Amino acid sequence: MTTESALTPDSSVTFINVFEIAADELDAFVEKWEERARLMRDKPGFIDSRMHRARSSDSRFQLVNVSHWESQEAWEAATADPEFSSRTRAAREETRQPITPNPAVYDVVVELTAP
């Protein structure tokens, strides 16, 4: 079901970031990610965030972060925070192997629930 409200600029947004990361780097990265996520938790407009870990070490995307924000503007303001930017940059530089994040903001276009 497509909803009109999901497409308005004032509506909540979903931020999704899928990470390509070596399996042996996961635990250290998740620990640091949690510290960065705590910075976001206190920002205006933050709703929630969850980090998902692949069950298989063969999965291309080992980690998937899904966060919800009250608006695109709230997300943009939060991610513009210099401390957050600095910590994010440092996290990419601290690993032995490259980490490839794939971030984007999404709108819900179809929603299904159990009957």
Side-chain angles (χ1 to χ4, degrees):
M1 174 170 131
T2 303
T3 59
E4 292 294 323
S5 63
L7 304 176
T8 63
D10 300 336
S11 65
S12 65
V13 295
T14 302
F15 170 75
I16 301 174
N17 196 356
V18 294
F19 296 90
E20 293 181 76
I21 180 173
D24 63 339
E25 301 263 6
L26 284 172
D27 292 334
F29 182 82
V30 168
E31 185 177 314
K32 294 290 187 180
W33 177 87
E34 189 172 0
E35 291 174 13
R36 291 186 304 278
R38 289 183 191 286
L39 290 173
M40 295 290 99
R41 181 179 62 188
D42 297 332
K43 301 292 184 193
F46 175 83
I47 298 172
D48 63 21
S49 185
R50 290 184 176 173
M51 178 64 85
H52 304 265
R53 183 176 183 157
R55 288 189 170 191
S56 169
S57 61
D58 294 331
S59 295
R60 177 178 176 190
F61 301 114
Q62 286 296 302
L63 297 171
V64 177
N65 168 231
V66 179
S67 301
H68 296 100
W69 291 84
E70 289 178 0
S71 68
Q72 172 93 25
E73 295 76 17
W75 176 81
E76 289 172 353
T79 57
D81 177 65
E83 183 178 1
F84 177 75
S85 298
S86 172
R87 288 186 183 197
T88 300
R89 189 173 36 261
R92 285 193 301 266
E93 295 169 358
E94 288 174 359
T95 60
R96 294 183 310 273
Q97 298 177 353
I99 295 173
T100 305
N102 299 277
V105 174
Y106 296 84
D107 292 314
V108 174
V109 293
V110 176
E111 183 173 347
L112 301 173
T113 59

